[in-house]
Amino acid sequence: MINRKLLIEKAFEAQKFCYTPYSNFNVGAALLTADGTVYQGCNIENAAFTPTNCAERTAFFKAVSEGQKDFVAIAIVGNKAGVKQGEGDYCAPCAVCRQVMAEFCDLDNFKIIIAKDTDDYLEHTLGELLPLAFTGKNLDK
Protein backbone atom coordinates (compact mmCIF):
# COMPACT_ATOMS: atom_id res chain seq x y z
CA MET A 1 0.00 0.00 0.00
CA ILE A 2 1.35 3.40 -0.99
CA ASN A 3 0.96 6.25 1.50
CA ARG A 4 0.89 8.95 -1.16
CA LYS A 5 0.65 11.84 1.29
CA LEU A 6 3.74 10.72 3.22
CA LEU A 7 5.69 10.09 0.02
CA ILE A 8 4.84 13.56 -1.29
CA GLU A 9 5.83 15.12 2.06
CA LYS A 10 9.19 13.31 1.85
CA ALA A 11 9.69 14.69 -1.68
CA PHE A 12 9.06 18.24 -0.44
CA GLU A 13 11.48 17.58 2.43
CA ALA A 14 14.18 16.44 -0.01
CA GLN A 15 13.59 19.52 -2.16
CA LYS A 16 15.05 21.66 0.64
CA PHE A 17 18.53 20.23 -0.05
CA CYS A 18 18.75 21.09 -3.76
CA TYR A 19 21.90 22.64 -5.14
CA THR A 20 20.64 24.75 -8.05
CA PRO A 21 22.72 27.93 -8.41
CA TYR A 22 22.20 28.08 -12.20
CA SER A 23 18.54 27.24 -12.83
CA ASN A 24 17.07 27.92 -9.39
CA PHE A 25 14.67 25.08 -10.23
CA ASN A 26 14.42 22.83 -7.20
CA VAL A 27 13.23 19.24 -7.51
CA GLY A 28 12.72 16.74 -4.71
CA ALA A 29 11.95 13.05 -5.02
CA ALA A 30 10.97 10.28 -2.63
CA LEU A 31 11.38 6.70 -3.86
CA LEU A 32 9.44 3.89 -2.15
CA THR A 33 10.88 0.37 -2.12
CA ALA A 34 8.91 -2.84 -1.77
CA ASP A 35 10.06 -3.22 1.85
CA GLY A 36 8.71 0.26 2.72
CA THR A 37 12.02 2.13 2.79
CA VAL A 38 11.97 5.65 1.34
CA TYR A 39 15.02 7.09 -0.40
CA GLN A 40 15.06 10.83 -0.95
CA GLY A 41 16.84 12.73 -3.68
CA CYS A 42 17.29 16.30 -4.82
CA ASN A 43 18.72 17.78 -7.99
CA ILE A 44 22.38 18.76 -7.90
CA GLU A 45 23.64 21.11 -10.60
CA ASN A 46 27.12 21.62 -11.99
CA ALA A 47 28.58 24.57 -13.90
CA ALA A 48 29.42 22.22 -16.77
CA PHE A 49 25.71 21.17 -16.89
CA THR A 50 26.30 17.61 -18.19
CA PRO A 51 27.33 16.31 -14.73
CA THR A 52 24.09 17.68 -13.23
CA ASN A 53 21.99 14.97 -11.60
CA CYS A 54 18.21 15.00 -11.28
CA ALA A 55 16.41 14.34 -8.00
CA GLU A 56 14.86 11.11 -9.28
CA ARG A 57 18.20 9.63 -10.31
CA THR A 58 19.78 10.74 -7.04
CA ALA A 59 17.12 8.76 -5.15
CA PHE A 60 17.50 5.71 -7.41
CA PHE A 61 21.29 5.71 -7.25
CA LYS A 62 21.23 6.04 -3.46
CA ALA A 63 18.84 3.10 -3.20
CA VAL A 64 20.69 0.87 -5.66
CA SER A 65 24.03 1.69 -4.03
CA GLU A 66 22.57 0.34 -0.78
CA GLY A 67 21.34 -2.91 -2.34
CA GLN A 68 17.74 -2.00 -3.17
CA LYS A 69 16.32 -2.98 -6.55
CA ASP A 70 12.62 -3.54 -5.90
CA PHE A 71 10.66 -0.30 -6.27
CA VAL A 72 6.98 0.55 -5.91
CA ALA A 73 6.55 4.29 -6.48
CA ILE A 74 8.21 7.68 -6.62
CA ALA A 75 6.82 11.10 -5.71
CA ILE A 76 8.29 14.12 -7.50
CA VAL A 77 7.87 17.82 -6.74
CA GLY A 78 9.58 20.77 -8.38
CA ASN A 79 9.40 24.47 -9.08
CA LYS A 80 11.46 27.62 -9.22
CA ALA A 81 12.98 28.62 -5.90
CA GLY A 82 10.56 30.69 -3.86
CA VAL A 83 7.38 29.16 -5.27
CA LYS A 84 5.25 28.03 -2.34
CA GLN A 85 4.00 24.47 -2.01
CA GLY A 86 0.69 24.16 -3.83
CA GLU A 87 1.21 27.26 -5.98
CA GLY A 88 3.47 25.81 -8.65
CA ASP A 89 2.96 23.29 -11.39
CA TYR A 90 3.42 19.56 -11.77
CA CYS A 91 7.01 18.45 -12.40
CA ALA A 92 7.23 15.31 -14.52
CA PRO A 93 10.48 13.33 -14.71
CA CYS A 94 12.77 13.98 -17.67
CA ALA A 95 13.38 11.32 -20.31
CA VAL A 96 16.74 10.29 -18.82
CA CYS A 97 15.11 9.69 -15.42
CA ARG A 98 12.31 7.70 -17.04
CA GLN A 99 14.94 5.53 -18.74
CA VAL A 100 16.70 4.91 -15.40
CA MET A 101 13.34 3.96 -13.89
CA ALA A 102 12.78 1.51 -16.76
CA GLU A 103 16.05 -0.23 -15.85
CA PHE A 104 14.74 -1.12 -12.39
CA CYS A 105 10.94 -0.90 -12.43
CA ASP A 106 7.99 -2.72 -13.91
CA LEU A 107 6.45 -0.51 -16.60
CA ASP A 108 2.88 -1.50 -15.75
CA ASN A 109 3.06 -1.37 -11.96
CA PHE A 110 5.59 1.28 -10.90
CA LYS A 111 3.73 4.46 -9.92
CA ILE A 112 4.97 7.98 -10.63
CA ILE A 113 3.29 10.63 -8.50
CA ILE A 114 3.85 14.23 -9.57
CA ALA A 115 2.53 16.68 -7.01
CA LYS A 116 1.81 20.32 -6.38
CA ASP A 117 0.80 19.51 -2.80
CA THR A 118 -0.13 16.47 -0.70
CA ASP A 119 -3.75 16.75 -1.87
CA ASP A 120 -3.07 17.89 -5.46
CA TYR A 121 -1.22 15.29 -7.50
CA LEU A 122 -1.32 13.18 -10.64
CA GLU A 123 -0.42 9.51 -10.76
CA HIS A 124 0.76 7.53 -13.77
CA THR A 125 2.44 4.22 -14.37
CA LEU A 126 5.94 4.28 -15.80
CA GLY A 127 4.58 2.64 -18.95
CA GLU A 128 2.15 5.52 -19.46
CA LEU A 129 5.01 8.03 -19.28
CA LEU A 130 7.49 5.92 -21.24
CA PRO A 131 5.64 4.01 -23.97
CA LEU A 132 7.69 1.61 -26.09
CA ALA A 133 10.49 1.67 -23.50
CA PHE A 134 13.89 0.25 -24.36
CA THR A 135 14.88 -2.17 -21.60
CA GLY A 136 17.21 -5.09 -20.99
CA LYS A 137 14.55 -7.33 -22.54
CA ASN A 138 15.32 -5.72 -25.91
CA LEU A 139 18.91 -6.94 -25.62
CA ASP A 140 17.80 -10.53 -25.04
CA LYS A 141 16.27 -10.83 -28.52
Side-chain angles (χ1 to χ4, degrees), residues 7-123:
L7 205 57
I8 293 167
E9 287 172 354
K10 291 289 190 183
F12 276 112
E13 185 179 287
Q15 189 182 33
K16 296 175 186 173
F17 299 105
C18 293
Y19 177 73
T20 59
Y22 309 105
S23 72
N24 291 311
F25 194 86
N26 300 329
V27 181
L31 176 63
L32 177 65
T33 66
D35 71 5
T37 304
V38 175
Y39 288 87
Q40 294 170 290
C42 63
N43 55 325
I44 303 165
E45 293 182 345
N46 187 286
F49 294 111
T50 301
T52 294
N53 202 53
C54 296
E56 302 91 60
R57 285 183 282 141
T58 299
F60 267 92
F61 296 161
K62 283 170 64 175
V64 172
S65 73
E66 294 182 22
Q68 294 279 3
K69 291 190 186 107
D70 193 3
F71 304 107
V72 176
I74 191 167
I76 306 162
V77 300
N79 276 294
K80 280 287 201 183
V83 174
K84 293 179 184 173
Q85 184 174 329
E87 293 181 0
D89 203 355
Y90 300 110
C91 181
C94 75
V96 174
C97 288
R98 294 175 200 201
Q99 185 62 46
V100 168
M101 291 176 197
E103 183 68 23
F104 297 103
C105 304
D106 181 78
L107 294 170
D108 296 324
N109 294 307
F110 183 73
K111 304 294 183 189
I112 299 172
I113 302 160
I114 54 175
K116 294 181 183 183
D117 202 325
T118 55
D119 296 318
D120 186 0
Y121 61 87
L122 303 174
E123 184 175 314

